[in-house]
Amino acid sequence: MSSVVATMSISLDGIGSGHHQTEERPFGDVPEGALHRWMFETPEENHAEIDAIVAAGAFIMGRNMFGPVRGEWDRDWRGWWGPNPPYHRPVFVLTHFAHEPLVMEGGTTFHFVTDGIHAALERARDAAGDLPVHIAGGPTTTNAYLAEGLVDELALQISPSILGDGLRLFDGVGPLRLQQISGRSASLVTHVRYRVLPADDATAPAS
């Protein structure tokens, strides 16, 4: 069965996105670039981690991660990434409103799942084959999978910023046991990867 890896860029105080998202402000009230300077300003320092983020057989994301459209799909929105998104694999978008699949350039197809996180994960695993499934965010979606015990590993890109308010990773998740697998610092980010342990697993110390 495919492993499930949740990957997210967050601030030191755990913010992964802001409130009041619009088309002009994909991360809402979070200052532009606060969480992703490492990716766009110093990609040469972070090639391995950037490659790892898109090295999945399939992806799952929340509707806000896909775009700012709320309610019924009343416009032809195709994501933030232009005609050739970086995923190049099937992407399963959680939503309450049905939508036909969107076939994009480069091998990305957005599928819209209306029957919950478990159904999306089942479809993503079928599509991923032997490759991992990545939970691509945002924080609300990642927290839902963590709360249900469906995440095997957590890959965080931690930016040296305190944002104070926003959508926070781990809100409402409850206690987790994490075993650190790796960690690496670069000039604008610290990359940390954890294994998520079952609550009753006493074989390894929690971080």
Side-chain angles (χ1 to χ4, degrees):
M1 184 180 296
S2 299
S3 62
V4 179
V5 180
T7 180
M8 183 172 293
S9 293
I10 61 172
S11 63
L12 279 172
D13 54 343
I15 302 299
S17 187
H19 299 293
H20 309 120
Q21 180 194 51
T22 67
E23 184 171 345
E24 293 74 27
R25 300 187 303 168
F27 293 93
D29 295 335
V30 169
E32 186 175 357
L35 300 175
H36 299 92
R37 287 182 60 206
W38 67 273
M39 182 181 292
F40 299 112
E41 295 182 22
T42 59
E44 69 283 351
E45 294 182 14
N46 302 285
H47 277 308
E49 289 83 7
I50 292 171
D51 289 346
I53 287 173
V54 293
F59 299 84
I60 297 171
M61 66 175 60
R63 180 165 176 175
N64 292 3
M65 178 77 177
F66 176 71
V69 183
R70 303 293 186 263
E72 295 287 351
W73 297 97
D74 58 359
R75 56 178 295 193
D76 184 24
W77 178 263
R78 293 175 174 265
W80 306 103
W81 306 276
N84 188 357
Y87 300 102
H88 309 301
R89 299 281 185 173
V91 180
F92 296 88
V93 180
L94 295 162
T95 177
H96 295 295
F97 298 88
H99 192 301
E100 291 297 315
L102 292 176
V103 180
M104 310 294 286
E105 296 175 13
T108 300
T109 298
F110 293 107
H111 302 271
F112 299 86
V113 182
T114 59
D115 44 357
I117 65 172
H118 292 272
L121 180 55
E122 182 177 349
R123 292 181 62 183
R125 277 182 160 148
D126 286 344
D130 294 332
L131 294 173
V133 172
H134 280 192
I135 310 300
T140 301
T141 294
T142 301
N143 289 343
Y145 279 96
L146 286 168
E148 288 293 309
L150 298 174
V151 176
D152 299 306
E153 293 185 12
L154 187 61
L156 300 180
Q157 305 91 42
I158 305 172
S159 297
S161 57
I162 303 293
L163 298 177
D165 185 48
L167 301 176
R168 197 179 306 270
L169 186 64
F170 305 125
D171 269 1
V173 170
L176 289 176
R177 288 179 52 81
L178 304 176
Q179 180 185 26
Q180 186 167 325
I181 300 170
S182 63
R184 188 182 74 83
S185 294
S187 61
L188 296 176
V189 66
T190 299
H191 301 282
V192 187
R193 195 174 184 103
Y194 299 99
R195 181 174 294 111
V196 182
L197 302 176
D200 58 352
D201 191 330
T203 61
S207 296

